[in-house]
């Protein structure tokens, strides 16, 4: 008999593997493809790795934001301090500039009066704004209590 006429040995191997699978034998020849349990285990492992990487990324991002926030707060406080010093210098300069035209007491009275007038105007604006905010929330309280 020629080699071409002989039956292909592969179908026997496939039949043996199928019989072994039906009997529950895991030994023998290697599987031809991945099984579902391995796929699910790999998916769970990948998911766990992704979650761990995401948590580490968020921790790093939070640390970066906290560091930058501290820097921003310190810079903002120094900016406010410099603005405060500049306003003090402006007030002193106004008193000095007005002194030749009116007496030192007159210049001081003018500058203090202007500052108190500005403070009064700003306080009235603040009061109006807070009243509007209160009125906006009063409508919600009355609507929810009914």
């Amino acid at each position: 008999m020629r080699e071409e006429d002989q039956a292909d040995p592969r179908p026997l191997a496939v039949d043996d593997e199928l019989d072994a699978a039906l009997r529950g034998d895991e030994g023998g020849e290697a599987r031809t493809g991945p099984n579902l349990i391995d796929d699910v285990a790999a998916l769970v492992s990948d998911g766990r790795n992704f979650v761990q990487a995401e948590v580490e990324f968020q921790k790093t991002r939070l640390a970066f934001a906290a560091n930058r926030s501290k820097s921003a707060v310190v810079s903002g406080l120094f900016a406010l301090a410099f603005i405060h010093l500049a306003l003090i210098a402006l007030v002193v300069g106004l008193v000095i500039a007005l002194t030749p035209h009116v007496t030192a007491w007159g210049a001081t009275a003018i500058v203090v009066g202007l500052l108190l007038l500005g403070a009064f105007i700003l306080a009235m604006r603040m009061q109006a704004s807070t009243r509007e905010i209160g009125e906006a929330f009063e409508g919600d309280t009355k609507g929810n209590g009914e």
Side-chain angles (χ1 to χ4, degrees):
M1 200 188 227
R2 295 186 312 187
E3 289 182 12
E4 296 167 304
D5 294 333
Q6 290 181 352
D8 192 10
R10 281 180 289 167
L12 291 176
V14 171
D15 288 340
D16 291 340
E17 189 175 324
L18 188 59
D19 289 338
L22 290 174
R23 285 191 310 261
D25 294 344
E26 302 243 347
E29 298 184 23
R31 288 180 253 173
T32 58
N35 87 25
L36 183 60
I37 294 172
D38 292 340
D39 288 345
V40 170
L43 180 64
V44 168
S45 175
D46 289 346
R48 185 177 299 124
N49 289 340
F50 173 74
V51 168
Q52 287 173 348
E54 185 66 22
V55 167
E56 290 301 318
F57 171 72
Q58 295 301 336
K59 283 181 184 178
T60 303
R61 194 162 86 166
L62 181 63
F64 174 77
N67 185 21
R68 292 295 184 228
S69 296
K70 284 190 277 186
S71 175
V73 167
V74 169
S75 296
L77 289 175
F78 275 109
L80 288 174
F82 288 153
I83 290 170
H84 184 255
L85 291 173
L87 290 174
I88 290 172
L90 177 66
V91 168
V92 171
L94 283 173
V95 170
I96 292 171
L98 289 174
T99 298
H101 303 291
V102 293
T103 63
W105 289 108
T108 302
I110 291 171
V111 170
V112 169
L114 288 174
L115 289 173
L116 289 176
L117 178 64
F120 178 75
I121 291 170
L122 290 172
M124 291 295 108
R125 288 181 60 191
M126 180 188 71
Q127 184 182 15
S129 295
T130 55
R131 187 180 315 116
E132 290 173 358
I133 292 170
E135 290 170 359
F137 283 104
E138 279 180 13
D140 286 346
T141 306
K142 290 178 184 175
N144 291 336
E146 293 178 19

